[in-house]
Amino acid sequence: MNDRSDETIPVRNTMHRQLLTNKPDPIFILENDTIIECTVEASDLFRTIPEQIIGKTLADISPEYQSDNHRSSDSITRLTVNLSRESYSEFEWTFLRFDQTQFTVQVTIQSIKSCSRSRSICILKDLRHLKDTLAMLQKQQEQYQDISNRKMAE
């Protein structure tokens, strides 16, 4: 049963449009733990279209276990409880694409006031480039240290 009146739908859509329009970051809006809106940038991270993500729960698009060896479903429950106490949180999260490949992002999530519903906005930062850059810097540091050690040995 749909409890939304026709009068409130355009206001919500306008609010969502304002939150999601012209944003370079991947963003989705959650109601409880279900995605109700997302940017094209978010769907691009999942290598799909927005319509395939909208309606999915966080558990639907997460592997069974996170990198900390906790079950994703347990972590989602903890996240929901934490968001009810604090309106803002940042954490690393591994998602699952529809082709079953995994990717890790930094999630910034903030509760938003929307009628009496529990909604949150999630901003995702792809960590792949950061991790690649850190690995490259570490390799360069090791090479520099190797060169420095050889020069000192001469």
Side-chain angles (χ1 to χ4, degrees):
M1 181 173 158
N2 189 348
D3 60 57
R4 298 177 189 172
S5 71
D6 289 339
E7 295 173 359
T8 61
I9 291 173
V11 172
R12 289 190 188 140
N13 288 340
T14 299
M15 180 188 72
H16 292 168
R17 239 183 299 176
Q18 289 172 346
L19 287 171
L20 300 177
T21 302
N22 298 323
K23 303 293 190 273
D25 294 318
I27 298 172
F28 50 75
I29 297 176
L30 298 172
E31 186 168 298
N32 299 314
D33 73 336
T34 301
I35 298 168
I36 61 170
E37 294 285 350
C38 77
T39 61
V40 171
E41 291 78 9
S43 64
D44 286 349
L45 271 179
F46 286 87
R47 299 181 183 151
T48 189
I49 57 174
E51 293 78 11
Q52 201 170 8
I53 296 173
I54 293 171
K56 300 291 186 200
T57 65
L58 291 177
D60 291 337
I61 57 174
S62 300
E64 185 175 359
Y65 290 92
Q66 288 296 308
S67 59
D68 61 5
N69 294 323
H70 288 100
R71 295 178 72 89
S72 292
S73 56
D74 295 339
S75 296
I76 292 166
T77 301
R78 279 193 304 280
L79 171 65
T80 304
V81 169
N82 288 344
L83 272 178
S84 68
R85 284 189 242 131
E86 301 173 22
S87 64
Y88 173 86
S89 184
E90 280 190 359
F91 52 91
E92 203 169 285
W93 191 262
T94 301
F95 283 107
L96 190 61
R97 293 185 177 104
F98 292 90
D99 66 2
Q100 302 304 302
T101 59
Q102 296 182 10
F103 65 101
T104 303
V105 296
Q106 176 74 27
V107 176
T108 302
I109 186 168
Q110 184 167 3
S111 296
I112 53 177
K113 302 294 181 208
S114 176
C115 303
S116 61
R117 301 179 191 276
S118 174
R119 291 195 177 160
S120 304
I121 185 165
C122 295
I123 302 170
L124 312 178
K125 296 284 186 190
D126 189 354
L127 296 178
R128 177 185 47 208
H129 301 296
L130 177 61
K131 289 185 176 192
D132 289 348
T133 301
L134 289 174
M136 180 187 69
L137 287 172
Q138 184 175 6
K139 184 176 180 178
Q140 287 177 346
Q141 183 179 13
E142 290 168 0
Q143 289 172 343
Y144 175 77
Q145 188 65 42
D146 186 46
I147 292 168
S148 178
N149 289 341
R150 279 189 268 142
K151 290 282 186 189
M152 290 178 69
E154 290 177 357

